[in-house]
Amino acid sequence: MCIGRRWHTRGHERRLLAGQAWYVGSDLEGLAAVFEGAYAAAGIEVPDLPTDVEVLQRHGEDGTRYVVVLNHTTQDHTLTIPGTSGEITIEAGESQTLVIEA
C-alpha cells in the first residue's frame, strides 16, 4: 500500500489475448507522465486537448468507430480529432458522439 504517493504497475505476465492491463492508483495529481508511457506502449496517438476535455473511442464489431467528446468546461472548444475529417466545435458542458463508418 502506498498512502499519499502515486503508484502504478504494468504486469507483463498479465497479458490477455492481444491486450494488456495497467493498474494506476493515485490522487490523480501529476499522472500525465504515467499516461504518456501507457499510451506510447499501446501505440495510441493522443490529441492535444484543453484541460477538462475528454475524447473516448470505441469500435463496433462491424468496424464502425465511435468517438465521444466530453467538454467539462464552461467554454466552447473547437478541436481536431485525429482520424476524423475536419474540426468539431463542442459547446460548454456538452458531449458529442462522432460515428465513423468502417
Side-chain angles (χ1 to χ4, degrees):
M1 184 182 306
C2 291
I3 296 174
R5 292 181 288 175
R6 289 189 301 273
W7 182 83
H8 75 277
T9 185
R10 178 178 170 197
H12 293 283
E13 70 282 358
R14 304 224 182 244
R15 289 181 187 239
L16 299 172
L17 302 175
Q20 59 181 266
W22 288 60
Y23 174 80
V24 178
S26 176
D27 61 4
L28 300 180
E29 291 296 321
L31 279 179
V34 173
F35 286 115
E36 287 171 8
Y39 297 149
I44 297 171
E45 182 180 348
V46 181
D48 184 25
L49 298 172
T51 300
D52 293 329
V53 173
E54 292 181 69
V55 176
L56 310 167
Q57 183 172 212
R58 301 291 183 264
H59 295 271
E61 290 182 11
D62 63 354
T64 300
R65 189 171 147 222
Y66 301 90
V67 179
V68 180
V69 182
L70 304 165
N71 183 356
H72 300 285
T73 75
T74 57
Q75 300 174 346
D76 296 352
H77 291 283
T78 299
L79 310 169
T80 300
I81 307 298
T84 65
S85 58
E87 295 181 331
I88 66 161
T89 298
I90 183 155
E91 295 180 11
E94 296 294 322
S95 65
Q96 191 173 43
T97 301
L98 308 172
V99 179
I100 302 149
E101 301 293 331

